[in-house]
Amino acid sequence: MVGVEALFQWDLTPGAPLEDQRIPITKGSNFLHIPKQRHTESPGGLRCHTDPLETAKNGASPLSPHGRGMDFLTLFLIYSCAVLSAMALLCLCSGRRESGLARSVSAVSQALSFVIPAQLQRVAQRVLHRLFHTRSCLFVVLHVVLQAAVYVEYTWEVFVYCWELQFHLLILLLPYLLLAGNVGCFILCSRANPGIITKSNHASLVKIYAYDGVLFQKGIVCPTCGLEKPARSKHCSFCSTCVHRFDHHCVWVNNCIGASNAKYFFLYLFTLTAMAATTAVISATFLIEVVLLSGMMHGSYIDDQGQERAVDILFLIQHLFLTFPRIVFMLGFVILLTLVLGAYSCFNLYLALTNQTSNEWYKCRRHRCCHHPTLQPHDRQAVYKNIYSKGVWRNLMEIFKPPAVLESKKKT
């Protein structure tokens, strides 16, 4: 691994003479023309020579949009396909059968069924059912592999480069602190009992929540478990059990999210979002710092026709992509994770503040219910009053202290 000073010819000696130097873009490439400026010194004592280059090699610059455009486009297409595939996988695995993505996948599969052999279709259906409709550790392994890949790249390159550029140590260690907390929440969430309803605790769980008469009806018996369903409960087809205050089954922790482990999932989700956001900010800050210290935005390059052109955004992105490919790949992935997880975290925060579960939210949308009174008389039949909401603060506290815990404390 090449140090930052080797990439941009840093002069690490504070008293070194300020003679002109060439600034290579990367090993084996042509040279980037940097307009003559005053030599600047970073807080860590790194001096960057930004004098002009008198001559350049003949021929196309390897990093010009035409010289190595095909290499850049190939890498960029592979990168885009990987990002889009990861986004589709995240949406498909975190969603439900009623989601738009699931319906789109179903429509595409029906269209392909006319051209795909029946035997191959049956094999594909069994594989998909095994992946998405049965309890499996496959996505837990994928979760660990992706997390390990991000942190290996962050440790191997980003941390070392940022340390050379005198980034604050506490900022660089923040992703590791978040990782420790996230792993703890992950273990607790995946290993904890989500609130499985059994014959021994059924009588007490029935008394916790009242039936609203809309989403949850009294007297409905689970055909699999043979028990009357308490309000806010649901039978999980993955785990083959009824779960108290069922939210959803998360394939990434390989467990249901219910009343007993909702707090661990809440913290797991927010620490995971913070991990992705912190890694993205540090990596992006490093790339911006490299661009600013090198003075590339004020430079120029030689194109295929031998003409000197000013560095533009496309050239700059291409240069960063080819100079730090793994960092840019990782940055794009963690930015995608930050957006997806951030949106999902906001959604879960909304559910917590309004005392809803994902299951109840989807059921309400399926029944075309709303949680706010309407002023139109003809619409009042569709109005649904959330009887479980007790105010923002008490709703949030119910995530961390379920009613069953409160009752047991009162008895003691």
Side-chain angles (χ1 to χ4, degrees):
M1 182 174 61
V2 184
V4 176
E5 68 276 4
L7 293 174
F8 296 102
Q9 294 293 323
W10 299 110
D11 179 10
L12 300 179
T13 307
L18 304 180
E19 68 273 12
D20 293 349
Q21 294 192 22
R22 291 181 176 181
I23 305 177
I25 297 176
T26 184
K27 185 177 180 181
S29 71
N30 283 350
F31 290 91
L32 178 69
H33 292 249
I34 303 296
K36 189 167 185 177
Q37 300 174 355
R38 296 183 63 184
H39 294 77
T40 58
E41 182 170 345
S42 67
L46 302 180
R47 303 168 73 98
C48 179
H49 299 282
T50 55
D51 297 328
L53 179 66
E54 299 297 334
T55 59
K57 297 178 182 178
N58 295 326
S61 173
L63 287 179
S64 66
H66 302 287
R68 290 183 65 180
M70 184 60 66
D71 294 339
F72 172 73
L73 289 177
T74 303
L75 289 174
F76 185 76
L77 287 175
I78 296 174
Y79 170 72
S80 300
C81 292
V83 169
L84 292 176
S85 300
M87 182 171 62
L89 184 62
L90 284 172
C91 295
L92 187 61
C93 296
S94 301
R96 294 169 60 94
R97 295 180 183 180
E98 295 87 354
S99 64
L101 179 60
R103 288 194 298 266
S104 301
V105 172
S106 178
V108 172
S109 62
Q110 290 180 0
L112 294 177
S113 63
F114 295 101
V115 295
I116 299 178
Q119 186 176 2
L120 183 59
Q121 291 183 36
R122 288 193 293 268
V123 173
Q125 289 176 357
R126 285 195 295 267
V127 172
L128 292 176
H129 183 270
R130 176 65 179 171
L131 291 177
F132 299 108
H133 299 286
T134 57
R135 194 170 183 181
S136 172
C137 294
L138 175 63
F139 288 98
V140 176
V141 175
L142 179 61
H143 173 279
V144 174
V145 170
L146 291 176
Q147 202 169 57
V150 169
Y151 270 85
V152 166
E153 174 57 26
Y154 175 81
T155 305
W156 180 251
E157 287 194 302
V158 177
F159 185 93
V160 176
Y161 285 149
C162 291
W163 179 254
E164 292 182 19
L165 293 177
Q166 303 296 316
F167 279 52
H168 198 283
L169 180 60
L170 183 59
I171 297 177
L172 297 179
L173 293 178
L174 185 57
Y176 299 105
L177 299 177
L178 292 171
L179 175 63
N182 181 259
V183 170
C185 294
F186 171 80
I187 294 175
L188 291 174
C189 185
S190 60
R191 303 293 295 176
N193 183 343
I196 297 176
I197 301 173
T198 61
K199 293 181 179 180
S200 59
N201 63 10
H202 176 266
S204 60
L205 294 180
V206 169
K207 301 176 182 178
I208 294 179
Y209 294 112
Y211 293 92
D212 60 4
V214 179
L215 300 181
F216 303 101
Q217 304 286 343
K218 189 175 182 179
I220 298 179
V221 179
C222 176
T224 304
C225 301
L227 299 173
E228 181 183 0
K229 290 185 177 181
R232 312 192 76 180
S233 67
K234 186 181 184 297
H235 183 85
C236 177
S237 58
F238 289 84
C239 304
S240 297
T241 56
C242 285
V243 178
H244 175 55
R245 199 183 184 277
F246 178 86
D247 190 274
H248 70 288
H249 182 93
C250 181
V251 296
W252 300 105
V253 299
N254 197 27
N255 198 5
C256 288
I257 308 302
S260 301
N261 65 346
K263 53 182 175 291
Y264 302 132
F265 179 77
F266 196 79
L267 295 175
Y268 160 77
L269 183 60
F270 277 87
T271 53
L272 188 62
T273 305
M275 285 167 48
T278 304
T279 307
V281 169
I282 294 176
S283 302
T285 303
F286 160 70
L287 295 177
I288 295 174
E289 190 76 8
V290 165
V291 172
L292 294 178
L293 291 177
S294 65
M296 283 187 293
M297 291 302 297
H298 304 286
S300 60
Y301 64 92
I302 305 300
D303 62 7
D304 290 341
Q305 289 74 32
Q307 297 179 352
E308 184 175 343
R309 295 183 179 275
V311 172
D312 52 10
I313 297 299
L314 177 62
F315 183 91
L316 182 63
I317 295 175
Q318 179 179 335
H319 161 58
L320 292 176
F321 196 94
L322 295 176
T323 307
F324 307 103
R326 292 184 296 272
I327 295 180
V328 175
F329 267 69
M330 182 194 70
L331 178 60
F333 181 69
V334 294
I335 288 177
L336 170 66
L337 280 181
T338 303
L339 296 176
V340 174
L341 294 174
Y344 190 54
S345 298
C346 292
F347 174 68
N348 275 266
L349 180 60
Y350 162 76
L351 294 179
L353 296 178
T354 57
N355 206 329
Q356 299 179 74
T357 64
S358 299
N359 177 54
E360 295 165 5
W361 187 85
Y362 279 105
K363 288 180 68 174
C364 187
R365 293 303 175 275
R366 189 169 64 244
H367 289 84
R368 300 184 181 275
C369 299
C370 64
H371 290 267
H372 301 284
T374 178
L375 298 178
Q376 300 295 331
H378 60 274
D379 291 335
R380 287 182 181 174
Q381 293 180 352
V383 175
Y384 167 69
K385 177 66 175 178
N386 184 9
I387 65 174
Y388 307 115
S389 180
K390 306 171 185 177
V392 172
W393 176 250
R394 294 181 64 184
N395 291 341
L396 186 61
M397 290 303 297
E398 189 171 316
I399 297 294
F400 298 94
K401 293 183 179 181
V405 177
L406 295 177
E407 289 182 359
S408 62
K409 287 187 176 180
K410 288 180 181 179
K411 292 180 181 179
T412 58

